[in-house]
C-alpha cells in the first residue's frame, strides 16, 4: 500500500499534515530525492542520500540526520508499505515558522511518500520517445536538487503539449539536461554528455551509465555540445531514476539516426537492467 511520512509519523497519503507555514509550501525552501526500489532494495540509496546531504549543505539547511538515519527511515517506510517495486520521494525543508524570508531557528521538516513504481508505457520503452529543445530558463545552481521546479514543470508541460516526453534544455548555446533527466548522445561509437557543472544535476543514473560504458569499453566523453549535435547523432538517450535509460528517437520532429532505439542505447539499458538484479 502507498504510505506517507511527516516529521516522525507514518501517515496515509490523504492525511492533511502540512501546516500552512511549512517553508516547503511557502517558499519551496527545501531539497529532495527520488529513489527507486527494485525487489525491495533501494537502488543506489547511499549515492542518493549523499546527494541529498550535499543539496542541503548547498542551501545551508541544517539536516542533522546522516546517511544512517535516513537509510533506516527509508527502509522502515518500505517495510511498512510492503511494496517490492516502488518509488521513494524524500523531501527536507527548512521547517515550520511564520512566513519571513530569513532562516528560522526551528527543526527541519522531513517528509516522504512511498508509492508503487510506475513503469513507462511499453511502447515508449520499445520504440523510443520524442523530445523538444527549449531554452533553459532555470537558475544558476541546478546541481542542487531543490524543490523549486517551476521552470522544469513549465518546460515539461510544453513538451507534453507537443506530444513529447521530455524537453531538452539549452543554456548559452549548449545542452544542459532534460527537465527531469540527463541527456546523452552517441556518435561514431562514442557516448557524449554535458560535464558536471552547476548548471546540471549530477544524476545518479548518469553515474551508473558511466560505469557501464567503461565496462563495455565505450568511450564516455563529458563535454559541452550544441543542440545540433543531437539531431546529427547516431543515437540519443536520457536517464533518470524513474525513466532509467530511455531512447529518444525524434527531436523537434526530426528522426535521430535510424529513428529507432540504437544499438549502444539498447546495450546500456540491458546492462542497467542486469545491475538491478545483482
Ligand atoms: N529527476 N536532471 C534533473 C533536472 C532531474 O530532475 C533528474 C531526476 C535528473 C536525473 O537524476 P537521477 O538519475 O539521479 O534520477 C537529472 C527525478 C527523477 C525527479 O525529479 O522526479
Amino acid at each position: 500500500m502507498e504510505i506517507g511520512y511527516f516529521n516522525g509519523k507514518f501517515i496515509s497519503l490523504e492525511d492533511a499534515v502540512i501546516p500552512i507555514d511549512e517553508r516547503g509550501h511557502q517558499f519551496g525552501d527545501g531539497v529532495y530525492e527520488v529513489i527507486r526500489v527494485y525487489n525491495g532494495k533501494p537502488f543506489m540509496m547511499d549515492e542518493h542520500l549523499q546527494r541529498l546531504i550535499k543539496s542541503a549543505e548547498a542551501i545551508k539547511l541544517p539536516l542533522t540526520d546522516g546517511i544512517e538515519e535516513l537509510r533506516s527511515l527509508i527502509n522502515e517506510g518500505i517495510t511498512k508499505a510492503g511494496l517490492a517495486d516502488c518509488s521513494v520521494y524524500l523531501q527536507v525543508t527548512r521547517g515550520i515558522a511564520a512566513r519571513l524570508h530569513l532562516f528560522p531557528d526551528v527543526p527541519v521538516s522531513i517528509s516522504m511518500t512511498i508509492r508503487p513504481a510506475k513503469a513507462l508505457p511499453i511502447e515508449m520503452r520499445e520504440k523510443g520517445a520524442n523530445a523538444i529543445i527549449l531554452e533553459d530558463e532555470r537558475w544558476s545552481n541546478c546541481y542542487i536538487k531543490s524543490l523549486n521546479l517551476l521552470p522544469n514543470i513549465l518546460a515539461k508541460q510544453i513538451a507534453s503539449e507537443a506530444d513529447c516526453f521530455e524537453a531538452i534544455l539549452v543554456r548559452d548555446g549548449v545542452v544542459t539536461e532534460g527537465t527531469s533527466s540527463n541527456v546523452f548522445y552517441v556518435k561514431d561509437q562514442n557516448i557524449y554528455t554535458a560535464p558536471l557543472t552547476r548548471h546540471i544535476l549530477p544524476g545518479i543514473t548518469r553515474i551508473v551509465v558511466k560505469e557501464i560504458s567503461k565496462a563495455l569499453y565505450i568511450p564516455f566523453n563529458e563535454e559541452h555540445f550544441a543542440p545540433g549535435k543531437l539531431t546529427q547523432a547516431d543515437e540519443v538517450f536520457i536517464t533518470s531514476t524513474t525513466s532509467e535509460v530511455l531512447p529518444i528517437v525524434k527531436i523537434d520532429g526530426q528522426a535521430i539516426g535510424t529513428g529507432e532505439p540504437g544499438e549502444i542505447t539498447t546495450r546500456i539499458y540491458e546492462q542497467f537492467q542486469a545491475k538491478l538484479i545483482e
Side-chain angles (χ1 to χ4, degrees), residues 132 134 153-167:
I132 54 167
L134 290 179
I153 62 170
L154 292 175
K156 189 96 172 181
Q157 186 64 28
I158 293 172
S160 173
E161 286 168 14
D163 279 332
C164 290
F165 177 70
E166 182 59 303

Side-chain angles (χ1 to χ4, degrees), residues 83-272:
L83 294 170
D85 287 290
C86 55
S87 287
V88 177
Y89 176 88
L90 184 66
Q91 172 172 312
V92 188
T93 80
R94 213 178 303 274
I96 302 155
R99 190 183 181 284
L100 235 191
H101 286 63
L102 290 175
F103 294 177
D105 188 12
V106 296
V108 301
S109 291
I110 299 185
S111 54
M112 178 167 71
T113 62
I114 300 179
R115 293 188 152 98
K118 247 207 213 137
L120 290 178
I122 288 181
E123 202 188 341
M124 185 184 288
R125 175 118 347 263
E126 287 178 357
K127 294 197 173 152
N130 301 341
I132 54 167
I133 306 256
L134 290 179
E135 192 61 31
D136 192 341
E137 295 183 346
R138 300 172 303 161
W139 70 328
S140 305
N141 296 311
C142 300
Y143 70 98
I144 302 170
K145 205 160 169 57
S146 121
L147 297 183
N148 293 267
L149 292 175
L150 194 48
N152 307 58
I153 62 170
L154 292 175
K156 189 96 172 181
Q157 186 64 28
I158 293 172
S160 173
E161 286 168 14
D163 279 332
C164 290
F165 177 70
E166 182 59 303
I168 294 174
L169 306 175
V170 174
R171 186 193 290 246
D172 299 330
V174 296
V175 171
T176 50
E177 58 182 342
T179 65
S180 55
S181 60
N182 291 114
V183 175
F184 303 74
Y185 74 92
V186 178
K187 186 75 183 174
D188 299 332
Q189 309 289 312
N190 272 250
I191 294 176
Y192 296 83
T193 195
L196 294 182
T197 64
R198 55 204 293 221
H199 290 158
I200 73 165
L201 187 78
I204 305 302
T205 321
R206 183 187 186 279
I207 299 174
V208 180
V209 165
K210 190 173 174 177
E211 283 170 11
I212 293 172
S213 312
K214 209 168 158 197
L216 295 177
Y217 300 103
I218 303 169
F220 188 88
N221 305 278
E222 296 171 74
E223 55 186 54
H224 292 296
F225 60 89
K229 291 282 186 193
L230 295 177
T231 36
Q232 290 153 18
D234 300 327
E235 306 175 26
V236 173
F237 63 91
I238 59 173
T239 64
S240 77
T241 296
T242 45
S243 62
E244 304 173 330
V245 177
L246 182 69
I248 297 292
V249 292
K250 222 188 235 182
I251 297 178
D252 285 348
Q254 205 177 314
I256 308 302
T258 60
E260 286 177 10
E263 185 215 318
I264 288 187
T265 306
T266 305
R267 282 171 71 200
I268 302 250
Y269 178 65
E270 283 167 4
Q271 292 298 311
F272 184 86

Side-chain angles (χ1 to χ4, degrees), residues 53 56 61-70 92-93 106-108 110:
I53 287 167
L61 194 149
L63 176 59
T64 48
D65 285 354
I67 291 209
E68 281 308 316
E69 286 96 340
L70 295 168
V92 188
T93 80
V106 296
V108 301
I110 299 185

